[in-house]
Amino acid sequence: MPGARTSEVAGRVLDRAFFDRPAPEVAPDLLGRVLVHGPVAVRLTEVEAYGPPGTDPASHTYRGRTPRNAVMFGPPGHLYVYFTYGMHYCANFVCLPEGMGSGVLLRAGEVVRGVEEARTRRHRPGTSAPLTSPGRPVPARDLARGPARLAVALGIGRELNGADCCSGSRPDGLQVLEGDPADPASVRSGPRTGVSSGADTPWRFWIDGDPTVSPYRKHVPKTRPS
């Protein structure tokens, strides 16, 4: 297909054992892997790990299980999708055995198949509010550069919350292919972006020099006028 890098769209579906590990181990190993949902495929270039309840104040599961984060306490290899800022979805892979409440946020990637479909979705609020004004061209590097953009490019919405990404039983389901894993020498780590608690924990991982990696933004507390 035009625009696809065949070697990075091929490969087996990652099995459940891949995700049945601590999130800080799974996260860097996801770099270079390929997410496929329908006509669009994205090669992951940036992710963030989040730990179990009571250990990681930045994690949605820090204070325990709730209706919102229940999927995070399910089996590994499932997709946890949450709504943020009242307009966008973000996607995570559940890690560790059932009941542990840990995961990896998918922060950014390169669209390696279905570029035009991903570009169209940026102007069609089928999964989230439009991220780009109609008629404004979207550079290829920006199509999945950031967690909300990545979700839009792949067509990830609330209906995929809890989806099993390891079964391969649904042709329209999201799958994670082995792709071409990033060279460990090219992987960098640093503080997570935009979180108010546990911000200095170096669990953000990215491929050094890749143009699709999102800019680092340190959380800035809001202040009220005196």
Side-chain angles (χ1 to χ4, degrees):
M1 296 185 185
R5 297 201 292 189
T6 305
S7 63
E8 294 185 4
V9 183
R12 67 178 179 86
V13 176
L14 295 181
D15 58 22
R16 206 167 310 285
F18 177 91
F19 298 96
D20 194 3
R21 299 178 288 159
E25 292 181 17
V26 174
D29 204 2
L30 277 169
L31 298 174
R33 312 296 186 168
V34 177
L35 310 181
V36 180
H37 187 217
V40 177
V42 172
R43 180 182 69 96
L44 285 173
T45 59
E46 181 189 6
V47 294
E48 278 180 348
Y50 288 88
T55 67
D56 183 359
S59 175
H60 284 191
T61 64
Y62 182 61
R63 291 183 172 82
R65 183 170 180 154
T66 67
R68 183 196 191 201
N69 67 24
V71 169
M72 287 277 281
F73 290 86
H78 285 241
L79 199 65
Y80 166 52
V81 180
Y82 66 89
F83 201 51
T84 185
Y85 298 117
M87 63 180 72
H88 299 307
Y89 291 101
C90 295
N92 306 252
F93 285 127
V94 178
C95 300
L96 290 177
E98 188 169 358
M100 296 298 289
S102 181
V104 175
L105 172 67
L106 311 178
R107 283 204 55 85
E110 175 193 9
V111 178
V112 294
R113 189 178 74 193
V115 170
E116 290 311 313
E117 175 62 21
R119 193 170 270 128
T120 298
R121 287 172 177 169
R122 289 288 289 272
H123 306 295
R124 188 177 66 226
T127 54
S128 293
L131 290 168
T132 308
S133 301
R136 179 183 173 186
V138 182
R141 78 166 193 171
D142 290 337
L143 288 173
R145 193 181 187 211
R149 292 174 176 179
L150 186 149
V152 169
L154 283 167
I156 295 175
R158 195 185 305 276
E159 73 284 353
L160 286 181
N161 187 41
D164 185 352
C165 300
C166 300
S167 67
S169 59
R170 289 180 51 189
D172 60 337
L174 188 144
Q175 296 181 328
V176 194
L177 305 184
E178 60 183 354
D180 185 10
D183 180 348
S186 71
V187 175
R188 300 290 179 267
S189 65
R192 292 173 293 191
T193 182
V195 296
S196 57
S197 302
D200 294 331
T201 303
W203 283 359
R204 172 176 169 254
F205 301 89
W206 67 94
I207 298 176
D208 190 35
D210 193 290
T212 65
V213 172
S214 65
Y216 170 72
R217 291 188 176 90
K218 186 176 181 178
H219 174 75
V220 179
K222 293 182 179 180
T223 57
R224 295 182 178 179
S226 56

mmCIF file of all heavy atoms in Angstrom, residues 51 58 91 96 141 159 211:
data_model
loop_
_atom_site.group_PDB
_atom_site.id
_atom_site.type_symbol
_atom_site.label_atom_id
_atom_site.label_comp_id
_atom_site.label_asym_id
_atom_site.label_seq_id
_atom_site.Cartn_x
_atom_site.Cartn_y
_atom_site.Cartn_z
ATOM 1 N N GLY A 51 2.493 2.613 37.331
ATOM 2 C CA GLY A 51 2.574 1.495 38.255
ATOM 3 C C GLY A 51 1.279 1.138 38.949
ATOM 4 O O GLY A 51 0.247 1.782 38.760
ATOM 5 N N ALA A 58 0.899 9.020 40.038
ATOM 6 C CA ALA A 58 0.452 9.530 38.735
ATOM 7 C C ALA A 58 -0.496 8.559 38.035
ATOM 8 O O ALA A 58 -1.109 8.914 37.028
ATOM 9 C CB ALA A 58 1.652 9.802 37.843
ATOM 10 N N ALA A 91 -5.243 6.003 25.075
ATOM 11 C CA ALA A 91 -5.255 4.544 25.143
ATOM 12 C C ALA A 91 -4.033 4.017 25.874
ATOM 13 O O ALA A 91 -2.934 4.572 25.780
ATOM 14 C CB ALA A 91 -5.308 3.963 23.731
ATOM 15 N N LEU A 96 0.902 -6.602 33.758
ATOM 16 C CA LEU A 96 0.892 -7.414 34.976
ATOM 17 C C LEU A 96 -0.364 -8.298 35.052
ATOM 18 O O LEU A 96 -1.320 -8.086 34.313
ATOM 19 C CB LEU A 96 1.011 -6.531 36.225
ATOM 20 C CG LEU A 96 2.357 -5.853 36.449
ATOM 21 C CD1 LEU A 96 2.287 -4.951 37.681
ATOM 22 C CD2 LEU A 96 3.472 -6.875 36.628
ATOM 23 N N ARG A 141 4.203 13.796 10.206
ATOM 24 C CA ARG A 141 4.810 13.527 11.510
ATOM 25 C C ARG A 141 3.866 13.852 12.667
ATOM 26 O O ARG A 141 4.051 13.366 13.796
ATOM 27 C CB ARG A 141 6.098 14.315 11.672
ATOM 28 C CG ARG A 141 5.894 15.783 12.014
ATOM 29 C CD ARG A 141 7.173 16.437 12.481
ATOM 30 N NE ARG A 141 6.911 17.741 13.080
ATOM 31 C CZ ARG A 141 7.821 18.453 13.725
ATOM 32 N NH1 ARG A 141 9.053 17.998 13.851
ATOM 33 N NH2 ARG A 141 7.527 19.620 14.251
ATOM 34 N N GLU A 159 -15.692 2.655 22.739
ATOM 35 C CA GLU A 159 -16.132 1.284 22.455
ATOM 36 C C GLU A 159 -14.993 0.278 22.505
ATOM 37 O O GLU A 159 -15.228 -0.937 22.605
ATOM 38 C CB GLU A 159 -16.819 1.218 21.086
ATOM 39 C CG GLU A 159 -15.907 1.333 19.864
ATOM 40 C CD GLU A 159 -15.433 2.758 19.581
ATOM 41 O OE1 GLU A 159 -15.927 3.693 20.258
ATOM 42 O OE2 GLU A 159 -14.597 2.934 18.674
ATOM 43 N N PRO A 211 11.141 12.073 14.664
ATOM 44 C CA PRO A 211 10.386 13.328 14.574
ATOM 45 C C PRO A 211 8.951 13.235 15.070
ATOM 46 O O PRO A 211 8.309 14.271 15.272
ATOM 47 C CB PRO A 211 10.420 13.651 13.074
ATOM 48 C CG PRO A 211 10.614 12.331 12.402
ATOM 49 C CD PRO A 211 11.500 11.544 13.322
#
